Amino acid sequence: MPQPDITPILLCGGSGTRLWPLSRKSYPKQFARLLGEESLFQASARRLSGAGFAAPLVLTGNDFRFIVSEQLAAAEIAASCLLIEPEGRNTAPAVLAAALVLAKTDPEALMLVAPSDHVIPDTDRFRTTVRAAMARAQAGDLVTFGITPSHPETGYGYLELAPDADAMATVPQSLARFVEKPDRKRAQQMLDAGNFLWNAGIFLFTAKALIAAFEAHAPEILEAVGKSVAGAAQDLSFTRLDPDTWGDVPNISIDYAIMEKASNLAVMPFTAAWSDLGGWDAVWAHSQPDAGGTVCFGGATAIRCSNTLLRSESDRVQLVGIGLDDIIAIAMPDAVLVAHKSKAQDVKEAVSALKAKGAAQAEDFPTDHRPWGWFESLAIGPRFQVKRIVVKPGGVLSLQSHHHRAEHWIVVEGTAKVTIDGVERLVTENQSVYVPLASVHRMENPGKVPMVLIEVQTGSYLGEDDIIRYEDVYARGQGKRG
């Protein structure tokens, strides 16, 4: 009898502050190309595609919806549902919402819940491990995946196996309890004991089994999430959970809400390499250091360095390290991080410090991604700003106006179709156009190649929230992103 397909549930939220400055609230690490040519999100979607897998269901936030759809399209993977959370409420409500959506058509649907920012180099072995856990999940158990620990890690939670369990088994084992993130001494003790696994935050169960677990252990969450799913609305290719009822949903992880209370648990050991890339030290380890332990990326040069990560994310910034040992240095166009590798877990403190002083770099990525393309600021002054704007083929900006600024557009690549106060014209390379203050305008790319222009803004206020949208093909509302 053929096995049913598994539906991947890709969780695509979070801010990834420990990988600042490359990962920020406005563009978190799952969308970045940290290792290779694909983003972590794309690699996760590809890992859980093909034979044995149904189209994925992706949960993400409003600000990331177009990034998700664009990266899936680039990977040539079609989602069954792009489910938009009105705001982050941790993993329990998100996973339950996915289960309720699947249960509408198939209560017995197998769900493989996985974060979208993990690194699992051996895809075939992971798929084999997932298949080995299917029978227990189909029988009604909630299966969690545990990783064989390689060192006393303090950044992960742990799973303690039952006395009769085998940490190296190739079938699901009995689970004794969940253990919170330990200090270094306790982590070493658990590593030495041999009956603890890292908690990967990956789960396999049927939609029906998970809903039953919420009925038994968290009925208040089931009621609130159920109302939000019932009131969900379609928006282009996205399904938006009802925001009014979602506000009543508790903020709680699936471990706390269900896994620490349920009795029908099993743990599936995974003995191959895995990482959640929870810090720059993990990125260094997975970036194939040279014989001296050094990794250089982009415009970075190492001279007599050892055990060091040097990474420049800008073609305008050359990063050079001389005589460094155990150092992480990350250069972005607008921010630079330098830290000892042993302090990689403390990078989030830098984000907190920058937020406290009101620095935009704490959360705002220098490249601002939109459904039509992206832009970056090249120069900013008291009453002017210069941007580079890239509009992908077929991309259309909203029909809009501004209260406080005028704009000059100079096309440097491709052709722009420009509308100003109802008058349309084509603007080609080396041509420019002026958009007066308060004029109703839009630009679009009618061509087959990306269109690049330089925008010079002048005025008393240049914030991205000075925008009134009259029409928008992407159905965004008012404000900075809509």
Side-chain angles (χ1 to χ4, degrees):
M1 183 176 179
Q3 292 276 23
D5 285 346
I6 297 171
T7 299
I9 309 297
L10 294 174
L11 305 179
C12 206
S15 57
T17 55
R18 288 177 294 179
L19 288 181
W20 184 89
L22 181 57
S23 174
R24 308 188 198 182
K25 182 179 180 181
S26 65
Y27 197 76
K29 68 174 182 176
Q30 61 265 27
F31 302 123
R33 290 186 291 184
L34 280 159
L35 302 172
E37 292 302 311
E38 289 191 315
S39 71
L40 299 179
F41 169 62
Q42 289 172 312
S44 297
R46 193 175 301 283
R47 185 184 309 124
L48 305 179
S49 64
F53 291 97
L57 186 157
V58 182
L59 288 114
T60 191
N62 183 66
D63 287 351
F64 307 137
R65 65 195 189 279
F66 292 109
I67 300 174
V68 165
S69 59
E70 184 173 325
Q71 290 202 354
L72 284 176
E76 298 183 338
I77 295 172
S80 63
C81 179
L82 297 176
L83 200 56
I84 307 301
E85 297 178 87
E87 55 185 311
R89 282 289 190 261
N90 216 314
T91 53
V95 176
L96 175 58
L100 291 170
V101 169
L102 288 180
K104 290 180 180 180
T105 55
D106 183 8
E108 300 291 343
L110 277 170
M111 309 167 50
L112 181 64
V113 178
S116 60
D117 57 0
H118 287 185
V119 173
I120 304 176
D122 195 338
T123 294
D124 289 341
R125 193 164 175 182
F126 180 71
R127 290 175 173 174
T128 298
T129 301
V130 170
R131 285 194 292 270
M134 287 178 65
R136 288 290 292 271
Q138 288 174 299
D141 285 342
L142 309 178
V143 181
T144 183
F145 288 74
I147 311 299
T148 304
S150 57
H151 59 276
E153 176 61 55
T154 60
Y156 304 148
Y158 284 70
L159 304 169
E160 182 178 1
L161 298 175
D164 60 343
D166 179 3
M168 303 299 291
T170 57
V171 293
Q173 301 293 294
S174 299
L175 177 65
R177 66 187 179 105
F178 287 74
V179 180
E180 293 294 319
K181 295 178 182 178
D183 58 23
R184 178 79 179 187
K185 180 180 178 181
R186 180 58 181 146
Q188 185 65 56
Q189 291 172 344
M190 290 190 287
L191 180 66
D192 295 340
N195 65 326
F196 290 85
L197 302 173
W198 288 335
N199 182 358
I202 301 173
F203 306 94
L204 181 67
F205 32 66
T206 64
K208 182 174 71 174
L210 184 70
I211 294 169
F214 274 91
E215 288 175 341
H217 306 292
E220 72 287 356
I221 300 177
L222 178 60
E223 180 181 5
V225 174
K227 290 179 180 178
S228 191
V229 171
Q234 202 66 23
D235 175 13
L236 300 178
S237 60
F238 311 105
T239 301
R240 291 183 177 274
L241 295 168
D242 178 56
D244 295 331
T245 50
W246 191 257
D248 299 327
V249 173
N251 188 329
I252 187 170
S253 72
I254 193 169
D255 285 354
Y256 283 131
I258 299 298
M259 299 299 167
E260 294 185 2
K261 301 173 183 177
S263 58
N264 56 330
L265 295 179
V267 58
M268 183 69 218
F270 182 62
T271 56
W274 166 91
S275 175
D276 72 344
L277 287 191
W280 283 113
D281 52 342
V283 175
W284 167 82
H286 283 270
S287 298
Q288 300 179 338
D290 64 17
T294 295
V295 174
C296 289
F297 181 90
T301 302
I303 301 173
R304 295 186 297 281
C305 294
S306 59
N307 303 314
T308 289
L309 172 62
L310 302 177
R311 186 175 179 124
S312 174
E313 296 292 333
S314 171
D315 56 8
R316 302 195 300 271
V317 177
Q318 289 293 316
L319 176 64
V320 180
I322 302 176
L324 303 178
D325 182 46
D326 281 332
I327 295 296
I328 294 165
I330 313 297
M332 298 284 290
D334 63 338
V336 176
L337 169 72
V338 181
H340 195 274
K341 190 138 58 68
S342 66
K343 301 298 182 182
Q345 294 299 312
D346 297 338
V347 171
K348 58 186 177 182
E349 295 179 17
V351 178
S352 298
L354 290 175
K355 287 174 67 175
K357 64 191 293 186
Q361 290 90 334
E363 296 185 340
D364 293 340
F365 202 70
T367 302
D368 200 323
H369 293 263
R370 299 298 172 92
W372 44 260
W374 57 271
F375 68 83
E376 63 177 340
S377 294
L378 303 178
I380 302 176
R383 292 181 61 88
F384 78 91
Q385 180 171 206
V386 181
K387 291 180 179 179
R388 174 167 62 168
I389 299 176
V390 179
V391 183
K392 62 189 179 183
V396 183
L397 279 69
S398 60
L399 185 66
Q400 58 186 252
S401 65
H402 310 291
H403 287 301
H404 303 287
R405 70 175 185 257
E407 297 171 343
H408 298 258
W409 295 342
I410 305 99
V411 176
V412 295
E413 292 182 33
T415 299
K417 180 180 178 182
V418 174
T419 302
I420 303 175
D421 290 331
V423 179
E424 291 185 358
R425 59 176 290 193
L426 293 178
V427 183
T428 58
E429 291 183 12
N430 298 320
Q431 293 184 332
S432 63
V433 65
Y434 173 61
V435 183
L437 185 149
S439 292
V440 178
H441 61 279
R442 81 170 358 141
M443 75 171 82
E444 55 190 288
N445 180 1
K448 302 295 185 182
V449 297
M451 183 269 290
V452 183
L453 62 80
I454 302 299
E455 177 181 86
V456 180
Q457 301 176 350
T458 57
S460 59
Y461 178 72
L462 306 174
E464 288 300 319
D465 54 349
D466 177 21
I467 180 172
I468 301 172
R469 289 193 178 95
Y470 303 97
E471 295 177 7
D472 185 56
V473 299
Y474 308 107
R476 295 172 295 170
Q478 300 297 333
K480 180 178 179 180
R481 288 179 176 270

